[in-house]
Amino acid sequence: MNDTKLILVLADQLCTQQPALKAAVPGRDIIVMAEVAEEASYVRHNRHKIALLFSAMRHFKIELEAEGYQVEYLSFESGTPSLEAAVASVIARTEVSEVVICEPGEYRLLEQMKYFWSSALGKPVTLLEDDRFLASHNDFADWAKGKKQLRMEFFYRKMRERYQILMDAGEPAGGKWNYDADNRVGWRNQVEIPSRPDITPDEITASVIDLVNAEFPDNPGDLARFRLAVTRTDAERQFDWFVENALGDFGTYQDALVEESPWIFHGLISMYLNAGLLEPLAVCERAERAWREGKCSLSAAEGFIRQVLGWREYIRGIYWLLMPEYKTRNTLEATRPLPNYFWDADTEMRCLSRAIEQSLDHGYAHHIQRLMVIGNFALLAGLDVMEVCDWYLAVYVDAYEWVELPNTLGMALYGDNAVIASKPYAASGKYIQKQGNHCQQCRYKPTKVTGPDACPFNSLYWRFIDKHIDKFGNNPRMGLVVANWRKRDPDEREVIVSWADKMIEDWT
Ligand code: FAD
Ligand code: DLZ
Ligand code: SF4
């Protein structure tokens, strides 16, 4: 009996420790990897993302072959339309008994594979749970069961205990679970930002860059600036560099907004974690070791570990717990079309223009730019939630729906019926001014609420509170803001809201 298995490896599953590859037998099974039009164009992906994935796949193929695996690699030039077509074409010219795949990270693809592939391909299709994450679907569902509120903080504490990260004799290291309060320092040019080590694209990457430039002329992304790691070894080097040179200041300036640097002291590792080039537990353990060896403060290590062990796993848990219904939510009924400047950064709002520009050019913006600049603006202006989500899915090099959707719809847009955020992450220009130095370069004034030079975030903020006051009035975390707004002179309120109403067409 022929027991050769066809193992499909997706572009974001590039490690031998993923379950489908763990089950593969060199010499017997056939590994299939494919660069396909459907995956490369279901949104207008940033060219950096396509180049990263195609080049990393091509490098991974070489590694697998060196380990004795037979790999059928369909490059983009083969014109393969979809992953299903790729698998079908290999089945047609080989003898395989079964198709085995580590489950994909997007519901859209999971549904196709689960319900349609087996009959279309005429072979059994086995989907294995992706165990590269630290909480399984069942773990998360068990934790969520019976809870009225699914707060990240309590999930995170469970994960710390379970994996014994930053724990001392059953207690959180240093006596506190969370050092978030130390992580909100605004940028005033206090310390030098270290320059990032350069990775020169090798021949494989250079030819992928040419391909992507030629095939995706209308996508965002300036590939002359492509400096991403495309192998595990280089991704690990990048992470080592971060631990040695930036982790120390990561916590303090995690929320800072800086004109001069798109990444400040951030890790720049989400694209590697999500593609399989780094492992979440290993990076957490390394950050803990750095603290225990005295290389960084506890608050820096904890701040970093909370993101990976807490937020990243929690966000994924929410996605799989609540999809597909989750994607249909739109709590604040936000439907205003996305302004064109989301695709060319041409706006006079300096903070927004800088954040959008670097997102388009590099495929990267750090968390506070995504949440409190771009997301905050979309929230205040009532931009259409699905258009905004599709934009985030397109422009970032680390974007896959399992992580992009809950962050955008739930955290940034307060659109998921308050599952992720207990109050909207809404802020006026004052917050952006406090966190950094964009306002100094802006034609608007963060101190003004109305008038031609007033910061648009200010009147939009109060318009947002006014518009949704019925929804927020009973929210204890919004009580003070709502009370302050109600206390204001009605004429003054009217002036602010009408100014925002009058100007919103200009700003959006
Ligand atoms: P660092 O600041 O160095 O943090 C370390 C790591 O923690 C990150 O690499 C990431 O793996 C993890 N992390 C931190 N916050 C989150 C979070 N909220 N959710 C999941 N992981 C987190 N992250 C993505 O990986 N893909 C996305 O598509 C994505 N979309 C986002 C959309 C919005 C609106 C918001 C507010 C956040 C989004 N994030 C997304 C989360 C976060 O902004 C990025 O993970 C982070 O900016 C990546 O940069 P970094 O590696 O330098 O992160
Ligand atoms: C994002 C992406 C892109 C751009 N291209 C491919 C591809 O050509 N082949 C492939 O196997 N995967 C690709 N991907 C990643 C898939 O879309 C990804 O597996 C799903 O988004 C699920 O996370
Ligand atoms: Fe942004 Fe307003 Fe500051 Fe300009 S003044 S940079 S729009 S917060």
Side-chain angles (χ1 to χ4, degrees):
M1 192 187 116
N2 170 36
D3 59 357
T4 300
K5 294 181 173 45
L6 184 159
I7 294 173
L8 175 66
V9 174
L10 303 176
D12 52 351
Q13 302 179 340
L14 306 181
C15 71
T16 50
Q17 291 310 302
Q18 56 109 319
L21 279 177
K22 265 193 286 192
V25 178
R28 183 194 72 182
D29 297 332
I30 301 172
I31 316 279
V32 177
M33 297 169 78
E35 301 166 2
V36 301
E38 190 171 271
E39 295 309 308
S41 53
Y42 66 88
V43 285
R44 198 141 58 100
H45 296 290
N46 197 302
R47 287 186 218 157
H48 284 264
K49 180 178 178 186
I50 305 176
L52 166 71
L53 294 182
F54 285 9
S55 180
M57 283 166 83
R58 291 180 186 202
H59 283 87
F60 191 57
K61 171 200 179 249
I62 296 170
E63 283 170 36
L64 288 174
E65 285 175 337
E67 288 183 31
Y69 291 99
Q70 179 190 341
V71 184
E72 291 285 332
Y73 194 96
L74 290 92
S75 64
F76 199 76
E77 293 90 333
S78 71
T80 313
S82 65
L83 290 168
E84 186 189 316
V87 173
S89 80
V90 177
I91 288 177
R93 58 190 149 84
T94 54
E95 291 285 320
V96 298
S97 59
E98 181 188 1
V99 175
V100 181
I101 316 168
C102 167
E103 65 184 2
E106 299 194 349
Y107 192 86
R108 136 196 96 79
L109 209 45
L110 180 74
E111 226 180 10
Q112 290 175 26
M113 290 174 174
K114 205 162 155 182
Y115 301 116
F116 303 107
W117 277 31
S118 186
S119 56
L121 296 168
K123 299 282 174 195
V125 173
T126 304
L127 288 161
L128 302 174
E129 180 161 353
D130 191 345
D131 59 8
R132 293 173 300 154
F133 290 88
L134 302 173
S136 69
H137 300 316
N138 279 344
D139 292 337
F140 195 82
D142 285 347
W143 172 76
K145 203 168 172 184
K147 288 194 172 56
K148 269 207 192 128
Q149 292 193 318
L150 303 178
R151 292 288 162 253
M152 197 294 291
E153 180 61 26
F154 299 106
F155 170 77
Y156 167 56
R157 292 179 190 182
K158 283 257 170 240
M159 296 293 278
R160 289 265 298 274
E161 283 171 336
R162 173 168 172 196
Y163 285 96
Q164 287 296 300
I165 297 279
L166 293 181
M167 297 297 292
D168 284 327
E171 296 297 320
K176 266 185 2 181
W177 288 104
N178 186 315
Y179 292 82
D180 198 22
D182 299 345
N183 295 346
R184 291 177 190 150
V185 177
W187 185 250
R188 301 286 174 269
N189 247 324
Q190 300 93 322
V191 279
E192 200 179 320
I193 300 172
S195 52
R196 303 259 157 182
D198 243 0
I199 300 179
T200 311
D202 66 6
E203 258 179 50
I204 296 176
T205 303
S207 74
V208 165
I209 287 175
D210 289 343
L211 169 83
V212 174
N213 278 332
E215 295 287 343
F216 302 93
D218 299 327
N219 291 35
D222 174 6
L223 287 183
R225 307 189 201 185
F226 186 86
R227 294 292 178 271
L228 295 172
V230 292
T231 61
R232 167 171 299 267
T233 309
D234 277 347
E236 283 171 352
R237 275 199 201 119
Q238 294 291 93
F239 179 63
D240 276 349
W241 180 91
F242 163 73
V243 172
E244 298 295 331
N245 299 280
L247 177 61
D249 287 308
F250 169 85
T252 313
Y253 299 111
Q254 202 176 336
D255 287 3
L257 293 165
V258 180
E259 272 284 309
E260 312 79 88
S261 167
W263 24 75
I264 339 169
F265 301 101
H266 287 270
L268 257 84
I269 56 163
S270 48
M271 61 298 265
Y272 309 134
L273 284 168
N274 298 352
L277 300 180
L278 290 177
E279 268 81 52
L281 190 57
V283 300
C284 291
E285 288 171 345
R286 176 87 165 80
E288 171 165 8
R289 213 164 56 244
W291 165 62
R292 294 208 185 267
E293 287 167 358
K295 289 184 176 159
C296 69
S297 67
L298 176 56
S299 76
E302 190 281 317
F304 175 80
I305 286 167
R306 186 173 355 110
Q307 310 311 316
V308 180
L309 187 65
W311 278 110
R312 185 170 185 270
E313 297 289 333
Y314 165 84
I315 286 286
R316 176 179 183 261
I318 295 285
Y319 179 78
W320 288 113
L321 186 74
L322 299 176
M323 278 297 279
E325 182 275 329
Y326 188 79
K327 202 175 171 176
T328 65
R329 297 183 185 190
N330 186 358
T331 310
L332 300 179
E333 295 168 15
T335 54
R336 183 173 286 274
L338 198 72
N340 288 340
Y341 56 73
F342 271 68
W343 294 106
D344 61 14
D346 187 13
T347 163
E348 290 183 306
M349 289 176 262
R350 180 72 180 182
C351 53
L352 198 56
S353 145
R354 291 296 279 175
I356 293 176
E357 184 184 32
Q358 70 171 73
S359 302
L360 296 171
D361 284 351
H362 298 279
Y364 180 83
H366 65 71
H367 188 67
I368 291 303
Q369 291 176 305
R370 296 190 205 198
L371 182 64
M372 298 308 298
V373 179
I374 306 173
N376 181 26
F377 182 80
L379 172 76
L380 299 183
L383 302 186
D384 184 274
V385 289
M386 264 314 115
E387 277 197 55
V388 178
C389 288
D390 278 351
W391 183 85
Y392 274 90
L393 192 57
V395 299
Y396 292 110
V397 75
D398 56 18
Y400 304 89
E401 198 180 76
W402 67 264
V403 55
E404 173 276 324
L405 185 70
N407 269 305
T408 311
L409 182 67
M411 193 186 301
L413 302 179
Y414 196 66
D416 70 350
N417 305 344
V419 172
I420 290 187
S422 56
K423 79 179 201 24
Y425 283 93
S428 66
K430 209 160 115 191
Y431 170 86
I432 295 171
Q433 182 191 28
K434 183 165 73 68
Q435 290 312 117
N437 55 3
H438 292 308
C439 300
Q440 292 160 18
Q441 312 277 330
C442 188
R443 89 146 185 87
Y444 297 113
K445 293 196 166 41
T447 45
K448 293 192 73 175
V449 181
T450 56
D453 57 348
C455 168
F457 281 84
N458 290 339
S459 58
L460 282 178
Y461 175 78
W462 291 116
R463 176 182 175 273
F464 174 78
I465 301 294
D466 191 71
K467 190 165 178 225
H468 300 294
I469 204 150
D470 293 341
K471 280 207 172 74
F472 302 151
N474 298 327
N475 181 331
R477 299 196 61 207
M478 295 293 283
L480 198 62
V481 165
V482 168
N484 279 342
W485 180 240
R486 285 197 168 120
K487 254 192 271 159
R488 279 185 164 185
D489 180 71
D491 291 343
E492 195 191 340
R493 283 191 306 207
E494 168 63 24
V495 169
I496 295 171
V497 173
S498 356
W499 173 257
D501 278 342
K502 186 159 81 78
M503 294 306 294
I504 196 161
E505 303 300 331
D506 283 4
W507 296 328
T508 58

